Amino acid sequence: MTKETFEKKLFYLDGIRGLAAFAVVISHYIQVFYPAALNGRPQQAHFKWDIWYGHSPINLFYNGQFAVCLFFVLSGYVLSIKMFEKELDSETFEKLLHSSVIRRYIRLAMPAAVSVLLVYLAIITNAFHLQEIWGTTWTDMKKNYYALDTNIYTVIKAAIFDPFFRFEAHPYNPVLWTMGYELLGSFLIFGFLALFGRVKKRWIVYVVLSITLIQTYFVAFLWGMLLADLLKHKWIQSKITAVLVLLIGIYLGSAPYTSLMGTMYEPIEVWTKMINQWIQFNIDPRLLARTLGSAMILFALLRLKVLQQVFGWKPFVYLGQISFSLYLIHFTFLNTFSAFLFSKVIHYFSYNLAYAITFLVSMVPLFILSHYYMKYIDQGALKLARKVEKNMTDQGALKLARKVEKNMTSSKMQR
């Protein structure tokens, strides 16, 4: 793969990543303002179509878990694609792997930590307004969601440790639950590449690990890496096949949060139950469907130029560039600025119109903040990661040089 080709791939991969991040944003606005579209409860519906579109493929555009699965599949693909190049010699392979391992925690931790500090600042300045709209929106979120401990030690621990080493909800910034999977999923990729990346019969390992990890999000990283591994072969070039895979992927990825039985998604639950009975597993049908759907959509994207052109559109690419920042700060922004704005406009407009005004107006400052967060925090993390890597590499080279010099001196003395 030439450098030019790889950069083009990054463009449309950025585009789909950006749209996935925006889907997460929409999902949390839906969670607060239109909870029935997620939980399927008529008593919480503000609009007569809430239940209907919540059970249709439309929910793909605000299906947060699908978007997260797509993030993980993309991570598995992007982190491993360079490692499967045929012309890559062993020394370059090891250097790339070493570089990725050193950078990964810093790359994720610094932006995540700053997002927690923003929550801390919002708490001590009383900037959260969820409690003011809670009774109007009928959201399932707790009224006192942000009644949190502001002890400095607790906040620092929540910023740099909890998101990466505790697989549970993170009250300061709920979206950080994915960080632990991103970090350990990355090291799953790096470990696989180090142990089996150059082994011809690694397909057996793919199968074993797929079965082992099928009940977790980690299988998404594995399947993303599998797509990168298969890419070097001219496998399944048929456009018709790619379109069929895309349609199936959309169907699977849009599996709703509510019960699948009695909907067009019933076959997913039926087949998953059969698999569970056969292999004595407890696979979540939605997680399996969304993960498999994500992998199939990425496959179609890698095979259909028309999709590459769509997702390579400059606004989508830009959205991908700010996607990590947008993902990290949007939930806090939703419960501060957006909640405050809605609490004011709801007195003058109907519910749906008040929401539309709130959402559209909120996107302007949210995108501006995301841009500068990307520019200074996200890019700052990348620069810091490179600097740390360089220092560690230089120190390693210095130690090696000293060791060689010492051995040479010792050899001369013996002579």
Side-chain angles (χ1 to χ4, degrees):
M1 183 186 300
T2 64
K3 183 178 180 182
E4 182 181 359
T5 303
F6 184 71
E7 287 178 348
K8 286 181 179 179
K9 287 186 180 298
L10 286 182
F11 282 142
Y12 61 74
L13 292 179
D14 274 345
I16 195 172
R17 183 187 292 110
L19 288 171
F22 193 56
V24 174
V25 173
I26 296 173
S27 75
H28 287 131
Y29 275 82
I30 292 292
Q31 180 185 4
V32 171
F33 294 100
Y34 291 94
L38 291 177
N39 61 34
R41 297 171 190 157
Q43 64 271 27
Q44 289 177 273
H46 291 282
F47 188 62
K48 62 181 180 180
W49 298 109
D50 286 356
I51 307 299
W52 176 80
Y53 67 74
H55 287 156
S56 75
I58 293 174
N59 90 87
L60 185 77
F61 298 103
Y62 66 86
N63 194 313
Q65 191 186 51
F66 161 74
V68 166
C69 290
L70 187 54
F71 285 150
F72 292 162
V73 172
L74 281 167
S75 290
Y77 179 85
V78 173
L79 290 172
S80 60
I81 183 61
K82 285 187 177 181
M83 311 302 291
F84 291 118
E85 293 180 8
K86 288 183 178 179
E87 62 273 16
L88 206 65
D89 59 78
S90 297
E91 184 179 354
T92 306
F93 179 88
E94 290 178 6
K95 284 182 178 179
L96 283 173
L97 194 59
H98 184 257
S99 172
S100 299
V101 169
I102 292 175
R103 295 183 187 186
R104 195 59 177 163
Y105 173 74
I106 298 173
R107 165 78 188 95
L108 295 172
M110 182 175 166
V114 174
S115 76
V116 173
L117 295 181
L118 290 178
V119 174
Y120 171 74
L121 290 175
I123 293 173
I124 63 175
T125 57
N126 296 314
F128 285 107
H129 296 276
L130 175 65
Q131 68 278 6
E132 297 171 20
I133 65 171
W134 182 81
T136 306
T137 65
W138 306 332
T139 179
D140 289 328
M141 290 179 62
K142 294 185 299 182
K143 186 176 183 179
N144 62 338
Y145 190 88
Y146 287 99
L148 301 171
D149 186 2
T150 54
N151 176 273
I152 295 299
Y153 169 78
T154 304
V155 173
I156 293 175
K157 182 171 174 288
I160 63 175
F161 179 82
D162 291 351
F164 300 95
F165 304 105
R166 293 182 64 187
F167 289 89
E168 53 188 63
H170 298 278
Y172 290 88
N173 190 1
V175 301
L176 294 182
W177 72 268
T178 62
M179 292 298 101
Y181 288 101
E182 276 287 355
L183 184 64
L184 294 185
S186 301
F187 282 96
L188 168 67
I189 299 297
F190 302 147
F192 183 100
L193 291 169
L195 296 172
F196 309 107
R198 295 301 177 93
V199 176
K200 290 183 178 180
K201 293 185 179 181
R202 57 183 175 275
W203 315 113
I204 299 173
V205 185
Y206 278 117
V207 172
V208 172
L209 285 178
S210 291
I211 295 172
T212 305
L213 302 173
I214 195 67
Q215 301 178 90
T216 73
Y217 284 101
F218 293 115
V219 77
F221 293 89
L222 184 71
W223 289 349
M225 179 171 57
L226 177 60
L227 286 175
D229 200 353
L230 293 172
L231 183 68
K232 63 182 181 294
H233 303 295
K234 292 183 178 180
W235 50 291
I236 311 182
Q237 297 289 332
S238 169
K239 290 183 180 180
I240 295 177
T241 302
V243 170
L244 289 174
V245 170
L246 174 64
L247 294 175
I248 296 171
I250 291 173
Y251 168 73
L252 293 173
S254 61
Y257 285 89
T258 55
S259 174
L260 306 183
M261 301 303 290
T263 70
M264 62 182 291
Y265 299 96
E266 184 172 328
I268 296 174
E269 190 151 338
V270 172
W271 280 97
T272 306
K273 283 182 179 179
M274 291 175 61
I275 294 171
N276 285 334
Q277 292 174 357
W278 179 48
I279 58 177
Q280 297 300 305
F281 273 12
N282 187 29
I283 302 172
D284 180 354
R286 295 169 191 79
L287 178 58
L288 177 60
R290 292 163 185 163
T291 305
L292 187 57
S294 299
M296 295 176 82
I297 289 173
L298 179 57
F299 163 81
L301 177 61
L302 296 171
R303 282 292 174 261
L304 294 173
K305 289 186 178 180
V306 64
L307 283 183
Q308 295 170 10
Q309 291 172 351
V310 170
F311 289 110
W313 189 39
K314 286 185 178 180
F316 290 163
V317 173
Y318 174 74
L319 191 59
Q321 292 170 351
I322 66 169
S323 61
F324 191 34
S325 301
L326 182 67
Y327 177 79
L328 289 175
I329 68 174
H330 79 273
F331 198 84
T332 303
F333 187 84
L334 161 61
N335 290 290
T336 51
F337 179 87
S338 297
F340 173 76
L341 179 60
F342 184 80
S343 71
K344 301 304 179 184
V345 299
I346 189 61
H347 298 298
Y348 304 99
F349 302 100
S350 66
Y351 188 91
N352 291 327
L353 184 56
Y355 169 75
I357 293 171
T358 298
F359 182 81
L360 293 174
V361 172
S362 295
M363 291 304 103
V364 177
L366 176 58
F367 274 74
I368 293 172
L369 288 172
S370 298
H371 174 83
Y372 285 102
Y373 200 93
M374 176 270 294
K375 185 175 180 180
Y376 294 106
I377 307 301
D378 195 17
Q379 293 297 322
L382 286 171
K383 292 177 182 177
L384 178 61
R386 292 191 190 103
K387 188 174 181 180
V388 170
E389 180 198 1
K390 186 178 184 301
N391 289 338
M392 292 181 67
T393 303
D394 291 345
Q395 289 178 7
L398 182 61
K399 286 181 181 179
L400 180 61
R402 286 175 178 173
K403 186 176 180 180
V404 171
E405 184 181 356
K406 184 178 179 180
N407 290 337
M408 291 177 65
T409 303
S410 177
S411 177
K412 287 180 181 178
M413 290 179 65
Q414 289 178 3
R415 289 178 184 175

